[in-house]
Amino acid sequence: MSTRDDSRPGTEEDPVLVGVDLGGTKIAACLVTVSGQLRGEVHQVPTPGREGPAAMLAAIAGLVGQVVAAGTHGGRSPRPLAVGIGSAGIIDARSGVVLSATDAIAGWPGTNVADGVARLLPGAGVLAPDGQAPLVHVDNDVNAYAAGEAWLGAGHGASSALVVAVGTGVGGALVLGGAVHHGTHFLAGEIGHMPSQAAAGEPCTCGKSGHLEAVAAGPQIARRYREATGETSVTTALEVERRAQGGDVVAQRVYEEAAVALGRGIAQIVTAVDPQRVIISGGLARSGDLWWQPLRRTVADELIELIADSTELLPATLGTTAPIIGAAHEAWLRLPQAAGERNEA
């Protein structure tokens, strides 16, 4: 399903939202209609991660202002109903406060992103149709990605989905009944730090050992290959994959072990939650059969027949637009208009 629409940007008569994808290196944003179409171009700015929370909030609000200004049509700027932000870190989605984060963004833990951005939006020229600052909703970036994929991507039409992101880390999210399921600590679906037998004794980025991410994430695939061969020049999973395709038996083993470990982790979540679809995103999802075949085989072998035969395992389809669309959609779901539509449905 296309999410692109280069026609007239939203105005007061044409409701729009703003979706923001906040990562460690860049912040991207775009106008998004309430039906999920992107309006205009995606704008982005570098993430001022070393400059502290105040600079971060100003950068987000300023970028939203750029997006709104670019959407001006016939002398009228769009007035977004809400702004949705998918941010790195563990986010309290009720309050918009960062509960925990890596040091990629200095001082990010404890920051109230929702309130901080909302206060700055009027000064950036961003107002809602009622003349006030629009609602700002903040969630974890993987949750935002999952919300987009489940709504209009590979999960479209499914009642529930487990979305797994495999790249520099291993993340995950659950979408149940059309909405992200956060869990008590806002960590539902975070598959990367679940125990994995394949990772016994392996160091994890969280400081503990034995977690799935320690064997399944891209940098860990490269690390395990280096440790097994002593070849310090190999720094990416892509290089390991290339060597495996060229017949390197150590690379083949390390790559397959990563896929098998991930498959077993996915099977555990599927057994407990029973989602209709499993959607795989991230850099490793662009791998070939060397990774996908053992992943699919392991998931199928680990599940009971009833679940294995009917649970779809699919690659994500929306790409980099997924968190923008998903963040906007999550914000939309928190507006009274959306609540009314959901109740009527």
Side-chain angles (χ1 to χ4, degrees), residues 1-7 29-31 33 35-43 152 318 321 325:
M1 177 178 295
S2 173
T3 58
R4 180 75 195 184
D5 183 353
D6 286 324
S7 61
C30 191
L31 290 175
T33 70
S35 60
Q37 294 178 316
L38 299 185
R39 285 288 173 88
E41 298 297 324
V42 174
H43 294 246
L152 296 178
L318 293 184
T321 66
I325 294 169

Side-chain angles (χ1 to χ4, degrees), residues 40-222:
E41 298 297 324
V42 174
H43 294 246
Q44 64 182 51
V45 296
T47 302
R50 309 316 307 163
E51 299 176 30
M56 288 292 300
L57 299 176
I60 297 167
L63 181 61
V64 174
Q66 288 181 33
V67 167
V68 168
T72 299
H73 178 80
R76 289 188 299 180
S77 295
R79 291 195 167 191
L81 297 171
V83 174
I85 302 171
S87 170
I90 300 171
I91 311 296
D92 183 331
R94 296 168 303 189
S95 65
V97 173
V98 182
L99 300 177
S100 178
T102 68
D103 59 4
I105 301 177
W108 204 226
T111 303
N112 191 320
V113 182
D115 286 353
V117 171
R119 286 197 302 269
L120 295 173
L121 288 178
V126 182
L127 297 174
D130 63 2
Q132 303 299 310
L135 176 146
V136 177
H137 175 71
V138 187
D139 204 345
N140 167 262
D141 51 358
V142 177
N143 286 344
Y145 192 109
E149 276 293 335
W151 183 33
L152 296 178
H156 179 68
S159 61
S160 56
L162 168 65
V163 180
V164 179
V166 194
T168 56
V170 178
L174 286 169
V175 180
L176 307 177
V180 172
H181 175 70
H182 292 95
T184 302
H185 303 98
F186 302 95
L187 286 168
E190 283 291 357
I191 189 173
H193 297 288
M194 65 188 300
S196 171
Q197 184 176 359
E202 298 275 3
C204 185
T205 55
C206 70
K208 295 190 176 182
S209 62
H211 292 174
L212 176 61
E213 185 171 294
V215 293
Q220 305 309 319
I221 291 173

Side-chain angles (χ1 to χ4, degrees), residues 17 65 85 141 145 175 188 210 231 252 264 282 291 317:
L17 313 151
I85 302 171
D141 51 358
Y145 192 109
V175 180
E231 296 192 37
Q252 290 172 351
R264 287 175 174 161
W291 188 79
T317 60

Side-chain angles (χ1 to χ4, degrees), residues 306-324:
L306 176 64
I307 299 178
D309 290 346
S310 59
T311 303
E312 300 172 273
L313 182 63
L314 304 168
T317 60
L318 293 184
T320 57
T321 66
I324 292 174

Side-chain angles (χ1 to χ4, degrees), residues 160-164 173-174 176 189 191 194 262-280 295 298-300 302-314:
S160 56
L162 168 65
V163 180
V164 179
L174 286 169
L176 307 177
I191 189 173
M194 65 188 300
L262 179 64
R264 287 175 174 161
I266 288 172
Q268 291 179 58
I269 301 294
V270 169
T271 299
V273 180
D274 194 18
Q276 185 175 348
R277 291 181 192 163
V278 177
I279 301 167
I280 311 296
L295 175 66
T298 302
V299 172
E302 292 286 325
L303 295 173
I304 64 171
E305 187 174 343
L306 176 64
I307 299 178
D309 290 346
S310 59
T311 303
E312 300 172 273
L313 182 63
L314 304 168

